mmCIF file of all heavy atoms in Angstrom:
data_model
loop_
_atom_site.group_PDB
_atom_site.id
_atom_site.type_symbol
_atom_site.label_atom_id
_atom_site.label_comp_id
_atom_site.label_asym_id
_atom_site.label_seq_id
_atom_site.Cartn_x
_atom_site.Cartn_y
_atom_site.Cartn_z
ATOM 1 N N PHE A 123 -35.114 4.722 -80.388
ATOM 2 C CA PHE A 123 -33.746 4.630 -80.588
ATOM 3 C C PHE A 123 -33.334 3.443 -81.345
ATOM 4 O O PHE A 123 -33.824 2.328 -81.300
ATOM 5 C CB PHE A 123 -33.062 4.666 -79.048
ATOM 6 C CG PHE A 123 -33.583 5.672 -78.266
ATOM 7 C CD1 PHE A 123 -34.700 5.415 -77.532
ATOM 8 C CD2 PHE A 123 -32.915 6.879 -78.197
ATOM 9 C CE1 PHE A 123 -35.219 6.610 -76.669
ATOM 10 C CE2 PHE A 123 -33.494 7.910 -77.491
ATOM 11 C CZ PHE A 123 -34.556 7.750 -76.692
ATOM 12 N N THR A 124 -32.207 3.744 -82.112
ATOM 13 C CA THR A 124 -31.475 2.621 -82.911
ATOM 14 C C THR A 124 -29.989 2.405 -82.369
ATOM 15 O O THR A 124 -29.314 1.649 -82.906
ATOM 16 C CB THR A 124 -31.427 2.954 -84.295
ATOM 17 O OG1 THR A 124 -30.847 4.331 -84.488
ATOM 18 C CG2 THR A 124 -32.825 3.034 -85.069
ATOM 19 N N ASP A 125 -29.650 3.176 -81.302
ATOM 20 C CA ASP A 125 -28.351 2.814 -80.703
ATOM 21 C C ASP A 125 -28.383 2.938 -79.081
ATOM 22 O O ASP A 125 -29.167 3.707 -78.575
ATOM 23 C CB ASP A 125 -27.228 3.638 -81.250
ATOM 24 C CG ASP A 125 -27.225 5.047 -80.684
ATOM 25 O OD1 ASP A 125 -27.926 6.029 -81.285
ATOM 26 O OD2 ASP A 125 -26.372 5.290 -79.646
ATOM 27 N N ALA A 126 -27.626 2.144 -78.501
ATOM 28 C CA ALA A 126 -27.746 1.933 -77.035
ATOM 29 C C ALA A 126 -27.421 3.196 -76.257
ATOM 30 O O ALA A 126 -28.060 3.477 -75.300
ATOM 31 C CB ALA A 126 -26.853 0.727 -76.573
ATOM 32 N N ASP A 127 -26.431 3.968 -76.799
ATOM 33 C CA ASP A 127 -25.978 5.085 -75.988
ATOM 34 C C ASP A 127 -27.027 6.131 -75.893
ATOM 35 O O ASP A 127 -27.300 6.715 -74.812
ATOM 36 C CB ASP A 127 -24.681 5.702 -76.605
ATOM 37 C CG ASP A 127 -23.540 4.815 -76.367
ATOM 38 O OD1 ASP A 127 -23.607 3.883 -75.494
ATOM 39 O OD2 ASP A 127 -22.489 4.957 -77.241
ATOM 40 N N ALA A 128 -27.653 6.434 -76.999
ATOM 41 C CA ALA A 128 -28.696 7.311 -77.060
ATOM 42 C C ALA A 128 -29.938 6.927 -76.098
ATOM 43 O O ALA A 128 -30.469 7.715 -75.378
ATOM 44 C CB ALA A 128 -29.223 7.750 -78.401
ATOM 45 N N ALA A 129 -30.182 5.640 -76.215
ATOM 46 C CA ALA A 129 -31.269 5.005 -75.392
ATOM 47 C C ALA A 129 -30.999 5.252 -73.852
ATOM 48 O O ALA A 129 -31.838 5.565 -73.062
ATOM 49 C CB ALA A 129 -31.545 3.596 -75.785
ATOM 50 N N LYS A 130 -29.672 4.943 -73.510
ATOM 51 C CA LYS A 130 -29.311 5.057 -72.117
ATOM 52 C C LYS A 130 -29.394 6.451 -71.680
ATOM 53 O O LYS A 130 -29.809 6.616 -70.505
ATOM 54 C CB LYS A 130 -27.883 4.531 -71.858
ATOM 55 C CG LYS A 130 -27.989 2.945 -72.045
ATOM 56 C CD LYS A 130 -26.543 2.348 -71.773
ATOM 57 C CE LYS A 130 -26.458 0.940 -72.002
ATOM 58 N NZ LYS A 130 -25.160 0.360 -71.892
ATOM 59 N N ALA A 131 -28.994 7.432 -72.423
ATOM 60 C CA ALA A 131 -28.974 8.762 -72.084
ATOM 61 C C ALA A 131 -30.459 9.205 -71.870
ATOM 62 O O ALA A 131 -30.756 9.986 -70.842
ATOM 63 C CB ALA A 131 -28.382 9.632 -73.199
ATOM 64 N N TYR A 132 -31.460 8.634 -72.759
ATOM 65 C CA TYR A 132 -32.817 9.029 -72.438
ATOM 66 C C TYR A 132 -33.251 8.556 -71.161
ATOM 67 O O TYR A 132 -34.036 9.196 -70.302
ATOM 68 C CB TYR A 132 -33.616 8.512 -73.701
ATOM 69 C CG TYR A 132 -35.077 8.851 -73.696
ATOM 70 C CD1 TYR A 132 -35.573 10.032 -74.070
ATOM 71 C CD2 TYR A 132 -35.995 7.869 -73.195
ATOM 72 C CE1 TYR A 132 -36.889 10.325 -74.156
ATOM 73 C CE2 TYR A 132 -37.382 8.140 -73.296
ATOM 74 C CZ TYR A 132 -37.784 9.437 -73.660
ATOM 75 O OH TYR A 132 -39.099 9.729 -73.586
ATOM 76 N N VAL A 133 -32.952 7.390 -70.786
ATOM 77 C CA VAL A 133 -33.312 6.681 -69.511
ATOM 78 C C VAL A 133 -32.734 7.472 -68.357
ATOM 79 O O VAL A 133 -33.507 7.804 -67.353
ATOM 80 C CB VAL A 133 -32.879 5.249 -69.379
ATOM 81 C CG1 VAL A 133 -32.925 4.727 -68.013
ATOM 82 C CG2 VAL A 133 -33.762 4.380 -70.407
ATOM 83 N N LYS A 134 -31.506 7.897 -68.427
ATOM 84 C CA LYS A 134 -30.895 8.660 -67.430
ATOM 85 C C LYS A 134 -31.638 9.975 -67.185
ATOM 86 O O LYS A 134 -31.787 10.545 -66.025
ATOM 87 C CB LYS A 134 -29.432 8.845 -67.601
ATOM 88 C CG LYS A 134 -28.762 7.587 -67.251
ATOM 89 C CD LYS A 134 -27.180 7.620 -67.508
ATOM 90 C CE LYS A 134 -26.493 6.349 -67.353
ATOM 91 N NZ LYS A 134 -25.445 6.171 -68.268
ATOM 92 N N GLU A 135 -32.002 10.617 -68.293
ATOM 93 C CA GLU A 135 -32.661 11.897 -68.254
ATOM 94 C C GLU A 135 -34.212 11.867 -67.657
ATOM 95 O O GLU A 135 -34.441 12.528 -66.893
ATOM 96 C CB GLU A 135 -32.729 12.405 -69.795
ATOM 97 C CG GLU A 135 -33.371 13.709 -70.009
ATOM 98 C CD GLU A 135 -33.783 13.803 -71.530
ATOM 99 O OE1 GLU A 135 -32.719 13.597 -72.380
ATOM 100 O OE2 GLU A 135 -34.877 14.046 -71.855
ATOM 101 N N GLN A 136 -34.853 10.740 -68.012
ATOM 102 C CA GLN A 136 -36.353 10.611 -67.593
ATOM 103 C C GLN A 136 -36.362 9.956 -66.236
ATOM 104 O O GLN A 136 -37.252 10.187 -65.564
ATOM 105 C CB GLN A 136 -37.074 9.546 -68.646
ATOM 106 C CG GLN A 136 -37.004 10.105 -70.075
ATOM 107 C CD GLN A 136 -38.013 11.134 -70.173
ATOM 108 O OE1 GLN A 136 -39.057 11.408 -69.585
ATOM 109 N NE2 GLN A 136 -37.634 12.240 -71.027
ATOM 110 N N GLY A 137 -35.381 9.017 -65.856
ATOM 111 C CA GLY A 137 -35.523 8.416 -64.574
ATOM 112 C C GLY A 137 -36.453 7.183 -64.619
ATOM 113 O O GLY A 137 -37.252 6.947 -65.516
ATOM 114 N N ALA A 138 -36.386 6.441 -63.542
ATOM 115 C CA ALA A 138 -37.306 5.207 -63.379
ATOM 116 C C ALA A 138 -38.503 5.545 -62.524
ATOM 117 O O ALA A 138 -38.420 6.604 -61.777
ATOM 118 C CB ALA A 138 -36.534 4.180 -62.747
ATOM 119 N N PRO A 139 -39.590 4.770 -62.517
ATOM 120 C CA PRO A 139 -39.821 3.653 -63.430
ATOM 121 C C PRO A 139 -40.042 4.038 -64.940
ATOM 122 O O PRO A 139 -40.470 5.152 -65.061
ATOM 123 C CB PRO A 139 -41.123 3.162 -62.825
ATOM 124 C CG PRO A 139 -41.839 4.273 -62.175
ATOM 125 C CD PRO A 139 -40.792 5.096 -61.666
ATOM 126 N N ILE A 140 -39.723 3.110 -65.716
ATOM 127 C CA ILE A 140 -39.658 3.400 -67.168
ATOM 128 C C ILE A 140 -39.766 2.093 -67.899
ATOM 129 O O ILE A 140 -39.471 1.081 -67.352
ATOM 130 C CB ILE A 140 -38.377 4.270 -67.557
ATOM 131 C CG1 ILE A 140 -38.535 4.918 -68.868
ATOM 132 C CG2 ILE A 140 -37.132 3.369 -67.484
ATOM 133 C CD1 ILE A 140 -37.576 6.065 -69.202
ATOM 134 N N VAL A 141 -40.380 2.135 -69.185
ATOM 135 C CA VAL A 141 -40.649 0.767 -69.767
ATOM 136 C C VAL A 141 -39.742 0.789 -71.052
ATOM 137 O O VAL A 141 -39.803 1.768 -71.891
ATOM 138 C CB VAL A 141 -42.075 0.788 -70.141
ATOM 139 C CG1 VAL A 141 -42.415 -0.489 -70.877
ATOM 140 C CG2 VAL A 141 -42.881 0.947 -68.920
ATOM 141 N N VAL A 142 -39.095 -0.431 -71.236
ATOM 142 C CA VAL A 142 -38.080 -0.505 -72.442
ATOM 143 C C VAL A 142 -38.767 -1.489 -73.250
ATOM 144 O O VAL A 142 -39.165 -2.686 -72.791
ATOM 145 C CB VAL A 142 -36.706 -0.998 -71.961
ATOM 146 C CG1 VAL A 142 -35.871 -1.026 -73.172
ATOM 147 C CG2 VAL A 142 -36.165 -0.021 -71.049
ATOM 148 N N LYS A 143 -38.852 -1.229 -74.576
ATOM 149 C CA LYS A 143 -39.650 -2.302 -75.451
ATOM 150 C C LYS A 143 -38.882 -2.348 -76.811
ATOM 151 O O LYS A 143 -38.478 -1.515 -77.433
ATOM 152 C CB LYS A 143 -41.005 -1.561 -75.829
ATOM 153 C CG LYS A 143 -42.055 -1.395 -74.708
ATOM 154 C CD LYS A 143 -43.275 -0.965 -75.161
ATOM 155 C CE LYS A 143 -44.412 -0.866 -74.093
ATOM 156 N NZ LYS A 143 -45.675 -0.620 -74.428
ATOM 157 N N ALA A 144 -38.679 -3.764 -77.213
ATOM 158 C CA ALA A 144 -38.104 -4.086 -78.526
ATOM 159 C C ALA A 144 -39.203 -3.622 -79.449
ATOM 160 O O ALA A 144 -40.328 -3.896 -79.216
ATOM 161 C CB ALA A 144 -37.953 -5.478 -78.519
#
Side-chain angles (χ1 to χ4, degrees):
F123 304 93
T124 50
D125 79 276
D127 288 343
K130 287 181 182 175
Y132 183 79
V133 164
K134 286 181 184 145
E135 178 196 311
Q136 299 289 320
I140 196 156
V141 183
V142 182
K143 300 186 174 186

